[in-house]
Amino acid sequence: MRTFSQQSAALRPLALLIVLVVSAFLAACNPNSDLVAPQAQATEAADLNASAKIDFSNAAADSNVTLKSVASFPVGAAFNSKITASSAKASQLFAAQFNAKTVHAYMNTQPTPGKFNLAEVDYWVKAAEKQSLRLHGHSLVYHMAVPEWFTQFKGNTGGFENAVKNHIQTIVGRYKGKIKSWDVINEIFDTNSGTIRKTAFRQLYASDAAYLEFVKRCFQWAHEADPNALLFYNDFNLEVSTSKTEAVVALVNSFKKSGTPIDGIGTQMHVNVSTSDAGMRNAYQRLAATGLLVHVSELDIVVNPTNDPSMAFTKQVQDAQAAKYQTVAALYKQNVPARLQYGITLWSFSDADSWLVVDKKQRDMPNVFDSNYNKKIAFFGLLQGLK
Ligand code: GLA
């Protein structure tokens, strides 16, 4: 026999559907309403899975509302300057919608020892003089996007550390007071286990403990170069792997214990339409519990996780993506206290320049603007979640 709570649990989806339909009808009757579904439903909607039927067909009503105007924290994007430099439409769209920019400043900005190529970073520092943008640098130390002279360093560990220190301090010092925050080191943990990744940098050390002392020194070097810069640790898959989330939490707690300067954690959030809402909620809550700033640092939402070559980007698929964008933002607002909300940054600008499409050659459309820099339904989903 089913208990009362089982019966009411079974009826809950039906009740929620009725509430959503009635609310959508009332909203449609209200000429002042620019909400697709009323704010009161946001929490419940956020708890629905990506398969939720949220109706974004009225999205055009939101056409004059911008991401940065509805959000209570900065909304940013990460992409190469050639996009806005070569398209007036993209440039206007970026200026209208965003008030933050993550600037690519990888280790390959020093292709040979002592020779820096910082044109991309300079471009954005200059752009920020005209358009109000909070600049975030990514990533001072990262074992990918790195020249061989760093990964196959000729010399002892002391020499390697001098080179890394010089790299960090040259870049952070050059942009002192201009680039507000930095990802100091990116992705030191394995995808799922939370153990230390066996990167080229880790191989230089006899133990994880010795390597972690180097990691801490990277933060100290950055802090010395700009004591006011906010310093972040950045990693991925935290919404999927609780072991990895706990490893990051333990890392930053050990930083705090040893007095190592750290201000925030970046959770990349390269997610997909089926990523569990509970997993995202857990990651937000665990990261926020450290008391550090939490940055959704590289958001994109894949619709074709199996990379099926015949996948059709139907209206249903696009609605599911919009619902997930809404959920990512709504859960962030609900689970990270306002004082710790460093912002949400989108990774790549449009579907045309997504790293998944361009570099990984996947059949997908993970971003909120389409290939012609038009707003997708996903844009309105994000807008809804930010409100
Ligand atoms: C990770 C890294 C980024 C970038 C993306 C793919 O998320 O943090 O620097 O390499 O992958 O573009």
Side-chain angles (χ1 to χ4, degrees):
M1 201 172 82
R2 298 166 92 204
T3 63
F4 174 72
S5 67
Q6 281 170 327
Q7 281 173 5
S8 60
L11 289 173
R12 225 174 282 143
L14 182 62
L16 184 54
L17 185 66
I18 292 169
V19 169
L20 284 173
V21 168
V22 171
S23 307
F25 175 73
L26 291 176
C29 295
N30 176 2
N32 295 324
S33 171
D34 62 354
L35 298 175
V36 175
Q39 189 67 34
Q41 255 63 63
T43 311
E44 282 159 311
D47 278 328
L48 288 175
N49 193 276
S51 61
K53 300 269 182 300
I54 299 173
D55 181 7
F56 290 102
S57 56
N58 267 345
D62 262 347
S63 60
N64 294 321
V65 186
T66 63
L67 299 174
K68 68 179 178 187
S69 71
V70 297
S72 51
F73 43 75
V75 185
F79 57 88
N80 199 282
S81 60
K82 67 179 187 298
I83 289 168
T84 39
S86 62
S87 162
K89 186 174 175 186
S91 175
Q92 279 156 15
L93 192 59
F94 177 65
Q97 297 294 334
F98 296 92
N99 51 10
K101 173 77 182 64
T102 287
V103 180
H104 298 313
Y106 293 108
M107 295 183 101
N108 60 14
T109 53
Q110 192 185 174
T112 53
K115 290 249 177 310
F116 286 82
N117 175 2
L118 293 163
E120 176 67 19
V121 191
D122 288 346
Y123 175 95
W124 288 109
V125 168
K126 204 151 176 241
E129 287 165 8
K130 295 190 208 113
Q131 175 190 350
S132 173
L133 286 176
R134 183 191 68 193
L135 300 180
H136 176 75
H138 171 85
S139 171
L140 294 167
V141 182
Y142 183 28
H143 57 280
M144 316 276 276
V146 59
E148 273 186 8
W149 75 270
F150 263 127
T151 53
Q152 294 168 21
F153 189 78
K154 303 270 178 292
N156 59 20
T157 315
F160 169 74
E161 292 207 4
N162 279 339
V164 174
K165 179 179 178 186
N166 178 57
H167 180 81
I168 290 175
Q169 297 201 328
T170 301
I171 296 183
V172 176
R174 178 180 171 110
Y175 301 110
K176 186 174 176 179
K178 293 182 176 158
I179 295 192
K180 190 174 172 56
S181 51
W182 289 96
D183 289 330
V184 176
I185 190 161
N186 198 28
E187 303 178 355
I188 69 165
F189 295 111
D190 268 334
T191 306
N192 287 306
S193 65
T195 54
I196 301 282
R197 262 183 161 184
K198 300 274 175 282
T199 66
F201 298 158
R202 164 63 186 85
Q203 311 291 4
L204 295 171
Y205 293 86
S207 65
D208 285 348
Y211 171 65
L212 287 173
E213 289 307 311
F214 157 72
V215 169
K216 286 182 184 169
R217 283 192 283 278
C218 291
F219 281 77
Q220 270 146 5
W221 296 327
H223 182 68
E224 279 166 26
D226 184 356
N228 292 323
L230 299 173
L231 305 181
F232 283 71
Y233 175 72
N234 195 55
D235 216 324
F236 68 102
N237 216 32
L238 308 185
E239 63 289 338
V240 175
S241 167
T242 51
S243 310
K244 187 162 177 177
T245 301
E246 293 311 315
V248 171
V249 169
L251 176 80
V252 301
N253 285 339
S254 83
F255 274 38
K256 287 200 268 180
K257 220 170 162 186
S258 61
T260 304
I262 183 161
D263 302 284
I265 304 169
T267 174
Q268 295 182 7
M269 299 200 69
H270 294 294
V271 298
N272 67 61
V273 285
S274 306
T275 299
S276 138
D277 296 353
M280 295 195 288
R281 187 186 300 102
N282 175 68
Y284 286 146
Q285 289 178 351
R286 294 296 296 136
L287 301 183
T290 64
L292 296 181
L293 298 165
V294 179
H295 182 200
V296 173
S297 55
E298 305 187 17
L299 176 63
D300 53 15
I301 303 184
V302 160
V303 297
N304 184 13
T306 57
N307 198 21
D308 172 358
S310 60
M311 162 96 179
F313 300 145
T314 59
K315 170 88 170 58
Q316 198 186 6
V317 167
Q318 295 184 42
D319 283 352
Q321 186 187 43
K324 196 54 100 179
Y325 266 106
Q326 179 183 16
T327 303
V328 167
L331 288 178
Y332 180 68
K333 292 184 64 167
Q334 288 160 19
N335 293 287
V336 178
R339 69 179 194 289
L340 303 181
Q341 293 167 357
Y342 197 63
I344 295 183
T345 298
L346 308 181
W347 200 253
S348 307
F349 195 59
S350 75
D351 287 339
D353 67 292
S354 164
W355 64 293
L356 298 163
V357 176
V358 176
D359 303 331
K360 293 200 152 193
K361 310 285 176 225
Q362 284 178 211
R363 175 167 167 69
D364 220 300
M365 40 162 280
N367 295 89
V368 299
F369 302 118
D370 71 16
S371 305
N372 297 313
Y373 310 122
N374 294 317
K375 296 171 191 168
K376 292 165 48 183
I377 307 173
F379 170 90
F380 296 101
L382 176 61
L383 196 66
Q384 190 71 12
L386 290 173
K387 281 182 177 173

